[in-house]
């Protein structure tokens, strides 16, 4: 079994166990403690090995195991301002369920709703908007199994809230979540406005764009300095009536238009051409036109639709999930670094200089999403507003690998942004040795203290997490067990 982008092998198929209920899960944990490692199967959206087992084996008794918690999914209960779901519920089911009750989560979710709720929280999934730091900030209560198979519940109102804040973004290293309670609010309708602007406008006004809108997201094309920005605002009565009249479907407003800027269209076409060459996406019959000629833009291919959609500047009305959670999935290596908001202008200038001096290119514009402060200990936005800068390369359709040149560019951009106190998104690509986490995150050492207390033998760790935490097991204690 591999992750979504096929960049990491998670386990052998026969290493997957599916507990049917909590009693079954408790028995599995007791049978394997403390010698076998236990990880949880999500939807495999993470780029690196955060969800992989260490020891691949043909027998469940010989190697580590991956738990399929799909039995722990669906709505558990819903109340006036909160809803409890099984931890393996997908974000799509969460949003659909809440919409049926005319509710929404108080945080903007990520672009892909295929993730499980527990997986999204564990890895730090976030959207955009200064209201909070990420999806994890909407969590009110969790039910969890610890390494010794004991069950506990933690809430944000606990007298000792440390455990709760550690679990809010825990990287799958503290325990196994079975239930999650989310804060909700009445569903809101928004108008999404799109525009093409300049790099100078981005640097000068990015913070004010975020402060004056509900959500804001920008894409910066550094080779030409074009910027496309999307902003959403609470809809007016007339806009809500338009939305209702169209069956609450996303329908372009009458003011919709197509980009007329020839230079911007050329920027898009250039990216598509480079992407086509690097990923060999023209190789199969599906990527040719009906008459057999080459389609240079491969409109039906997910990689290219992520870029060609920028040709439209349509304004539309919809709910948060319709407007912001409709990402186009395409196999990729994606890196995203959170920069303190005060550092953003200097970081962007460094990136601009780098691109112009090296002539290096990625497959996609830089993605900018700002968030507010968080109280989750491992959140990049702990105690500060940040802007996440995302950058990516798409994988070859022949063997699911990136070009060596593209991978080198990813690493060089990482090294550049490190100087601006960049903190990586844990579920995406990163070069772990670059980051001094104890100096970047005030609660890092406190998190490690709790992690050691809850799981002293590292049952929930794997190679990726041990490298991240620089963990050494207690071999003397293990020899006595």
């Amino acid at each position: 079994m591999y992750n979504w982008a096929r960049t990491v092998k998670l386990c052998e198929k026969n290493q997957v166990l599916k507990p049917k209920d909590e009693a079954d899960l408790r028995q599995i944990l007791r049978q394997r403690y403390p010698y076998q490692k236990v990880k949880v199967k999500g939807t495999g959206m993470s780029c690196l090995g955060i969800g992989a087992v260490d020891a691949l084996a043909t027998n469940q008794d010989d190697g580590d195991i991956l738990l399929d918690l799909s039995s722990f999914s669906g709505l558990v209960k819903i109340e006036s301002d909160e809803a409890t779901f099984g931890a393996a519920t997908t974000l799509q089911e969460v949003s659909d369920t809440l919409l049926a009750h005319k509710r929404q989560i108080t945080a903007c979710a990520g672009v892909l709703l295929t993730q499980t709720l527990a997986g999204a929280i564990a890895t730090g999934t976030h959207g955009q908007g200064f209201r909070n730091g990420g999806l994890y900030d909407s969590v009110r209560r969790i039910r969890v199994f610890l390494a010794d198979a004991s069950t506990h519940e933690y809430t944000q109102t606990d007298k000792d809230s440390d455990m709760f804040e550690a679990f809010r973004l825990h990287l799958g290293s503290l325990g196994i979540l079975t239930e999650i309670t989310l804060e909700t609010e009445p569903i809101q309708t928004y108008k999404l406005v799109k525009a093409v602007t300049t790099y100078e406008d981005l640097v000068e006004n990015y913070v004010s764009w975020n402060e004056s809108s509900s959500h804001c997201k920008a894409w910066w094309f550094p080779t030409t300095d074009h910027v496309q920005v999307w902003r959403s605002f609470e809809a007016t009565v007339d806009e809500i009536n338009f939305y209702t009249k169209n069956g609450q479907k996303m329908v372009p407003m009458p003011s919709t238009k197509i980009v007329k800027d020839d230079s911007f269209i050329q920027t898009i076409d250039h990216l598509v051409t480079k992407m086509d060459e690097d990923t060999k996406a023209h190789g199969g019959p599906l990527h040719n036109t009906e008459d057999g000629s080459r389609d240079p833009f491969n409109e039906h291919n997910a990689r290219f639709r992520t870029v060609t959609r920028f040709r439209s500047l349509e304004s539309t009305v919809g709910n948060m999930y319709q407007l912001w959670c409709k990402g186009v999935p395409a196999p990729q290596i994606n890196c995203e670094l959170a920069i303190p908001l005060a550092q953003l202008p200097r970081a962007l200038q460094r990136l601009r200089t780098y691109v112009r001096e090296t002539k290096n290119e990625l497959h996609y514009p830089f993605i900018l999403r700002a968030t507010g402060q968080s109280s989750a200990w491992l959140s990049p936005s702990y105690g500060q507003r940040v802007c996440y800068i995302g950058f990516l390369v798409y994988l070859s359709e022949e063997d699911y690998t990136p070009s060596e040149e593209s991978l080198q560019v990813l690493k060089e951009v990482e090294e550049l942004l490190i100087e601006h106190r960049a903190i990586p998104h844990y579920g995406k690509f990163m070069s772990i040795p670059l980051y001094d986490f104890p100096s970047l995150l005030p609660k890092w050492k406190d998190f490690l203290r709790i992690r050691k207390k809850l799981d002293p033998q590292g049952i929930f760790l794997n190679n990726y997490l041990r490298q991240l935490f620089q963990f050494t097991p207690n071999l003397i204690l293990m020899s006595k067990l």
Side-chain angles (χ1 to χ4, degrees):
M1 293 181 61
Y2 289 83
N3 67 338
W4 167 69
R6 297 188 65 81
T7 55
V8 174
K9 187 166 186 177
L10 301 177
C11 70
E12 300 291 352
K13 287 185 177 181
N14 56 14
Q15 288 181 273
V16 178
L17 292 180
K18 183 180 178 180
K20 61 181 181 295
D21 52 30
E22 287 198 351
D24 201 13
L25 175 57
R26 183 174 292 107
Q27 182 179 10
I28 290 172
L29 291 175
R30 285 175 174 170
Q31 287 175 341
R32 283 156 178 80
Y33 184 81
Y35 298 106
Q36 286 181 280
K37 302 294 188 292
V38 178
K39 298 305 295 177
V40 176
K41 176 181 177 291
T43 50
M45 302 303 295
S46 294
C47 182
L48 299 177
I50 191 169
V53 302
D54 284 346
L56 300 176
T58 57
N59 189 311
Q60 292 173 351
D61 295 329
D62 295 335
D64 303 333
I65 61 171
L66 194 69
L67 293 175
D68 176 353
L69 297 185
S70 55
S71 297
F72 299 81
S73 63
L75 179 67
V76 176
K77 64 179 178 179
I78 189 164
E79 299 179 76
S80 59
D81 62 347
E82 64 183 32
T84 301
F85 293 90
T89 311
T90 65
L91 294 181
Q92 184 67 64
E93 185 177 351
V94 169
S95 64
D96 289 345
T97 301
L98 293 179
L99 283 172
H101 290 82
K102 299 184 178 178
R103 308 288 296 177
Q104 67 181 25
I105 307 171
T106 54
C108 186
V111 297
L112 294 175
L113 297 180
T114 51
Q115 294 173 276
T116 64
L117 178 56
I121 290 167
T123 54
T125 293
H126 65 93
Q128 49 277 315
F130 279 158
R131 184 176 179 183
N132 44 46
L135 180 62
Y136 40 86
D137 284 323
S138 288
V139 177
R140 282 190 171 180
R141 181 189 71 90
I142 61 168
R143 181 170 173 81
V144 61
F145 274 73
L146 300 183
D148 62 2
S150 62
T151 55
H152 300 265
E153 292 191 3
Y154 303 110
T155 74
Q156 62 182 167
T157 57
D158 286 344
K159 185 175 182 180
D160 179 8
S161 62
D162 284 0
M163 204 69 74
F164 177 77
E165 296 300 350
F167 263 104
R168 265 190 164 173
L169 201 170
H170 60 95
L171 306 180
S173 68
L174 301 182
I176 298 173
L177 275 61
T178 57
E179 287 184 5
I180 299 169
T181 300
L182 299 170
E183 182 182 7
T184 69
E185 63 187 2
I187 189 70
Q188 298 289 319
T189 304
Y190 303 94
K191 179 181 180 181
L192 178 67
V193 178
K194 304 178 183 179
V196 174
T197 186
T198 64
Y199 167 81
E200 290 77 15
D201 192 21
L202 171 71
V203 173
E204 182 177 353
N205 295 306
Y206 182 70
V207 174
S208 64
W209 291 344
N210 280 274
E211 290 176 336
S212 59
S213 54
S214 299
H215 312 97
C216 175
K217 187 173 182 178
W219 292 262
W220 168 41
F221 298 77
T223 57
T224 60
D225 276 347
H226 286 104
V227 175
Q228 186 160 134
V229 56
W230 295 10
R231 300 171 67 196
S232 62
F233 307 84
E234 289 190 17
T236 65
V237 172
D238 288 344
E239 290 162 352
I240 293 174
N241 289 338
F242 175 83
Y243 178 58
T244 303
K245 181 180 178 181
N246 287 284
Q248 297 188 339
K249 296 179 180 179
M250 284 204 311
V251 177
M253 300 287 287
S255 59
T256 290
K257 57 183 178 180
I258 303 298
V259 176
K260 299 293 186 181
D261 186 336
D262 288 342
S263 63
F264 184 57
I265 297 300
Q266 290 171 6
T267 298
I268 295 173
D269 292 349
H270 174 75
L271 271 184
V272 169
T273 299
K274 177 172 176 54
M275 205 186 307
D276 198 20
E277 293 171 350
D278 286 353
T279 65
K280 304 176 178 62
H282 58 275
L286 290 177
H287 308 301
N288 298 323
T289 58
E290 291 184 1
D291 63 4
S293 62
R294 172 85 175 278
D295 174 5
F297 301 121
N298 297 294
E299 296 283 2
H300 57 277
N301 187 293
R303 294 168 176 82
F304 304 109
R305 283 190 285 118
T306 64
V307 177
T308 55
R309 62 179 175 166
F310 292 121
R311 292 173 179 162
S312 171
L313 291 179
E314 67 181 20
S315 294
T316 188
V317 180
N319 61 53
M320 178 172 62
Y321 307 108
Q322 290 173 314
L323 299 179
W324 296 108
C325 305
K326 297 296 182 183
V328 181
Q332 61 191 249
I333 292 183
N334 188 331
C335 185
E336 190 177 37
L337 305 181
I339 306 292
L341 211 55
Q343 294 267 355
L344 183 61
R346 292 189 294 275
L348 292 178
Q349 184 58 52
R350 289 288 307 283
L351 286 175
R352 191 175 191 232
T353 301
Y354 166 81
V355 170
R356 295 192 172 194
E357 290 182 350
T358 64
K359 307 298 182 184
N360 288 334
E361 295 182 78
L362 296 166
H363 295 155
Y364 202 71
F366 286 106
I367 310 161
L368 279 67
R369 294 188 288 170
T371 72
Q373 297 184 27
S374 173
S375 58
W377 282 4
L378 291 194
S379 171
S381 59
Y382 177 82
Q384 63 177 351
R385 297 194 302 184
V386 301
C387 178
Y388 286 86
I389 301 178
F391 44 102
L392 61 90
V393 294
Y394 289 112
L395 302 180
S396 166
E397 290 201 351
E398 292 185 346
D399 56 9
Y400 281 86
T401 60
S403 68
E404 290 186 11
E405 174 191 353
S406 296
L407 200 57
Q408 181 61 31
V409 175
L410 284 182
K411 293 178 179 178
E412 289 176 3
V413 172
E414 266 193 292
E415 292 173 353
L416 184 152
L417 292 178
I418 281 290
E419 299 178 23
H420 299 278
R421 297 192 61 79
I423 303 173
H425 186 303
Y426 303 103
K428 299 184 179 182
F429 175 85
M430 68 163 129
S431 304
I432 293 177
L434 290 178
Y435 301 94
D436 182 6
F437 289 104
S439 70
L440 291 169
L441 292 164
K443 290 292 187 178
W444 181 262
K445 291 181 179 179
D446 292 318
F447 180 88
L448 295 188
R449 171 179 53 80
I450 283 184
R451 199 221 61 75
K452 186 175 182 180
K453 175 183 177 181
L454 297 183
D455 182 18
Q457 298 309 314
I459 301 305
F460 298 126
L461 298 184
N462 57 13
N463 289 331
Y464 170 89
L465 291 173
R466 274 190 292 276
Q467 183 183 8
L468 191 70
F469 298 147
Q470 299 181 20
F471 170 81
T472 302
N474 188 334
L475 299 178
I476 296 177
L477 177 59
M478 288 191 71
S479 67
K480 296 179 180 179
L481 294 172

